[in-house]
Amino acid sequence: MAASTNGNVNTGQSEETAKKSSKKDINSKVELVIKNRKHANDVFDILEYLQADKEKDVTCAVNACNKLFCTLLERGDLFVGRLPNEEELLTGNRSAEEKYSMFMRHRYNSSRDLLLDLIGHESYQVKESALCTLMKFVSVEGKFPLLAVDWEEHYNFPRELLKAVVDRLLSEKEDMSLLISRFQEFLEMEDVRYYVMSSVSDSVGRVMERARGAVQPIYQNNVFTLISNINMPSQESELTNFLVKQAAKHEDWKAAKLKEHKRVFERMWLCFLKYKLPSNMYKKVLVILHESILPHMSKPTLMIDFLTAAYDVGGAISLLALNGLFVLIHEHNLDYPDFYKKLYSLLEPSVFHVKYRARFFHLANLFLSSSHLPVYLVAAFAKRLSRLALTAPPAALLMLLPFICNLIRRHPACRVLIHRPSAADEPCNDPYLMEEDDPAHCHALESSLWELQTLQKHFHPDVAKAAMVINNPLSEQEDDISELLELSTYELFERGLQHSEKQAVPLEFEVATQLLQGSGGVLGAHFSLE
């Protein structure tokens, strides 16, 4: 046992020694290459470590490349301009200085390719190191460009390198959400954000066309994770944080203009949303659409096709699409002829049980607040909601009953629904057609809200009390339902437990008085026998 223990210790020590020696070897080669051009060939050994099997060696090599090539870029040791093939270096009549700069430029290009491949490494630490090093290269290349810049037409931002990084982040085979969240700090820089959005548009168009529009769940999820993390500025004065400062004509640079940011932002989202999405992604997009997407678009009305398609899907997706449609209708004068017909069709039993119930009824209340709506339409909504109330949970009913009463308050012509003289005589002969999808043909105005009278005998006392409001003339003042929209069953239960009874609760109908009295009682009969 002792021998085996010593063997394990020695093995562990040898592995630790190997790690230290490999790190020392990499760092020493970096120093040699930086200090003396005679050691230029040692760069091959550093690049070889990028392809090592051990994670520690790879991470150390990534950091070494960061130090080495950033130093060479800053010193101007890399060739600037169109890079000749390496075969041409041997045949061309060039100075030793030129040959060295071209040689190191080729090694730099090789390191970039290897680092891009490492973004797909199995180790997150390696991925992160490679990503940060590549973004460091983007920054240094921006300050010391490797391409001859014509200031009349171009700006010195390494767009191609950043585009290659974005392409690796938008993997078609691997979920990159964790690494994308790490990349988010770079998206806070105006120029990086601008060129990333442009790169995403190109990537989506290329990948989805190759897939012929078929759903690509992993890829599309990576795209959504990236673009949903983009925080757009709201004013041009906020565009101050740049990774690369332009020495001249900075004010004419597209990345420094809010208008151009909005243009590429709009193009990116429209390009992403024009293809079929995974079913669970529609909800994710619609949840953030009205706050994070529409306000930053140059022409928000371009989203109408996506929103109307989502509105026609049904269920929770249709409920969420209401937010975006509300913005377009009220702020951008969108004309949607069948809007209320579709809203009416969304009223079904499941609407009381979905996650977005509060949001739906908040928007429905806004849409039905106009006094210019036809009476038959408001009557149809009031009647349909009353019918659904018969099977709704108590928490929903406490919001729904004031909602219905508010509809009647806004449109006095609908009061006939609660004061129809013949309603009591013909309770079973209801002309209302629940199955009719068109509110214009459901005969709601010919009916009555007998359902509300039925709810006056509901098992929950609060519901019964709320339903009794119709027994008296409705006040002009509308009920505030904002606090009731998110009322849950748990809160309703807690409210019942906190209710204090002011009066004593009777335990029996008649209080016993003769039990212990001598005359005529049980004890009195017992004594008389003795």
Side-chain angles (χ1 to χ4, degrees), residues 51-66:
Q51 305 168 72
D53 295 328
K54 295 180 180 178
E55 178 186 328
K56 293 288 185 182
D57 291 347
V58 177
T59 304
C60 186
V62 170
N63 295 331
C65 286
N66 190 337

Side-chain angles (χ1 to χ4, degrees), residues 42-228:
D42 284 348
V43 73
F44 286 111
D45 296 332
I46 298 171
L47 296 180
E48 190 173 343
Y49 273 113
L50 287 176
Q51 305 168 72
D53 295 328
K54 295 180 180 178
E55 178 186 328
K56 293 288 185 182
D57 291 347
V58 177
T59 304
C60 186
V62 170
N63 295 331
C65 286
N66 190 337
K67 180 180 179 181
L68 171 61
F69 290 110
C70 285
T71 301
L72 296 179
L73 276 163
E74 291 169 358
R75 283 200 323 211
D77 284 356
L78 300 187
F79 179 78
V80 177
R82 190 190 68 81
L83 184 64
N85 295 329
E86 288 204 77
E87 292 78 9
E88 297 180 28
L89 295 180
L90 301 174
T91 57
N93 185 19
R94 295 183 174 87
S95 66
E97 183 82 21
E98 284 183 309
K99 288 182 179 180
Y100 173 79
S101 65
M102 290 180 182
F103 171 81
M104 294 308 292
R105 171 78 180 278
H106 277 290
R107 304 291 76 77
Y108 172 64
N109 289 351
S110 298
S111 74
R112 295 198 323 183
D113 293 339
L114 290 170
L115 288 168
L116 287 168
D117 290 339
L118 288 177
I119 289 182
H121 197 275
E122 60 184 9
S123 165
Y124 176 75
Q125 184 178 357
V126 172
K127 291 174 188 280
E128 184 183 20
S129 298
L131 175 65
C132 293
T133 298
L134 286 165
M135 292 307 296
K136 180 66 174 177
F137 286 170
V138 171
S139 175
V140 179
E141 268 195 55
K143 296 174 184 176
F144 306 95
L146 295 176
L147 296 175
V149 178
D150 178 3
W151 287 108
E152 296 301 320
E153 299 178 7
H154 299 101
Y155 294 87
N156 57 337
F157 191 93
R159 287 167 284 187
E160 293 303 316
L161 177 55
L162 182 62
K163 184 176 183 296
V165 171
V166 172
D167 286 342
R168 293 306 195 283
L169 289 174
L170 303 181
S171 171
E172 298 176 48
K173 300 178 180 178
E174 181 185 357
D175 181 4
M176 302 292 284
S177 55
L178 191 60
L179 193 61
I180 290 172
S181 66
R182 177 66 177 85
F183 185 67
Q184 187 174 359
E185 72 172 71
F186 299 106
L187 292 174
E188 298 300 319
M189 299 175 185
E190 326 298 351
D191 44 359
V192 174
R193 179 175 59 244
Y194 177 82
Y195 289 112
V196 164
M197 291 190 292
S198 181
S199 300
V200 169
S201 299
D202 296 338
S203 173
V204 171
R206 184 177 65 255
V207 173
M208 297 307 294
E209 285 300 323
R210 187 173 67 239
R212 296 183 179 180
V215 174
Q216 304 290 308
I218 297 176
Y219 172 76
Q220 288 175 295
N221 187 66
N222 285 332
V223 175
F224 178 76
T225 303
L226 177 60
I227 64 180
S228 61

Side-chain angles (χ1 to χ4, degrees), residues 297-317:
M297 296 184 71
S298 301
K299 297 179 180 178
T301 50
L302 293 175
M303 292 294 290
I304 183 59
D305 290 339
F306 171 75
L307 284 169
T308 51
Y311 196 42
D312 291 336
V313 169
I317 293 177

Side-chain angles (χ1 to χ4, degrees), residues 196-310:
V196 164
M197 291 190 292
S198 181
S199 300
V200 169
S201 299
D202 296 338
S203 173
V204 171
R206 184 177 65 255
V207 173
M208 297 307 294
E209 285 300 323
R210 187 173 67 239
R212 296 183 179 180
V215 174
Q216 304 290 308
I218 297 176
Y219 172 76
Q220 288 175 295
N221 187 66
N222 285 332
V223 175
F224 178 76
T225 303
L226 177 60
I227 64 180
S228 61
N229 279 323
I230 293 177
N231 296 316
M232 284 285 287
S234 56
Q235 298 179 355
E236 194 145 343
S237 59
E238 296 177 14
L239 298 174
T240 56
N241 183 21
F242 291 89
L243 182 67
V244 178
K245 304 287 186 186
Q246 301 297 337
K249 293 176 63 178
H250 180 85
E251 66 279 0
D252 296 331
W253 189 26
K254 288 185 177 180
K257 293 183 175 182
L258 181 60
K259 180 180 178 181
E260 294 297 330
H261 275 261
K262 286 190 171 186
R263 184 181 62 80
V264 293
F265 179 83
E266 179 178 272
R267 177 172 172 258
M268 173 187 69
W269 274 105
L270 290 174
C271 186
F272 176 64
L273 297 177
K274 81 174 184 179
Y275 297 100
K276 185 178 180 182
L277 301 177
S279 56
N280 64 332
M281 192 167 291
Y282 280 99
K283 293 181 182 179
K284 294 179 181 179
V285 173
L286 291 167
V287 163
I288 66 171
L289 183 72
H290 66 291
E291 290 183 347
S292 303
I293 302 176
L294 289 179
H296 303 297
M297 296 184 71
S298 301
K299 297 179 180 178
T301 50
L302 293 175
M303 292 294 290
I304 183 59
D305 290 339
F306 171 75
L307 284 169
T308 51

Side-chain angles (χ1 to χ4, degrees), residues 429-494:
N429 187 18
D430 193 341
Y432 175 68
L433 302 176
M434 184 69 176
E435 297 76 18
E436 175 59 53
D437 292 331
D438 190 344
H441 301 108
C442 66
H443 303 291
L445 265 178
E446 303 167 25
S447 180
S448 66
L449 302 186
W450 57 265
E451 296 89 350
L452 300 190
Q453 192 169 3
T454 303
L455 289 173
Q456 292 177 4
K457 298 181 180 179
H458 195 276
F459 73 89
H460 197 288
D462 290 347
V463 173
K465 182 179 179 181
M468 288 181 184
V469 172
I470 64 168
N471 292 344
N472 301 312
L474 292 176
S475 63
E476 295 291 333
Q477 184 69 30
E478 290 189 13
D479 294 324
D480 183 10
I481 64 169
S482 57
E483 295 183 0
L484 302 172
L485 288 173
E486 298 190 24
L487 183 64
S488 66
T489 303
Y490 174 79
E491 291 171 331
L492 195 62
F493 186 73
E494 286 292 309

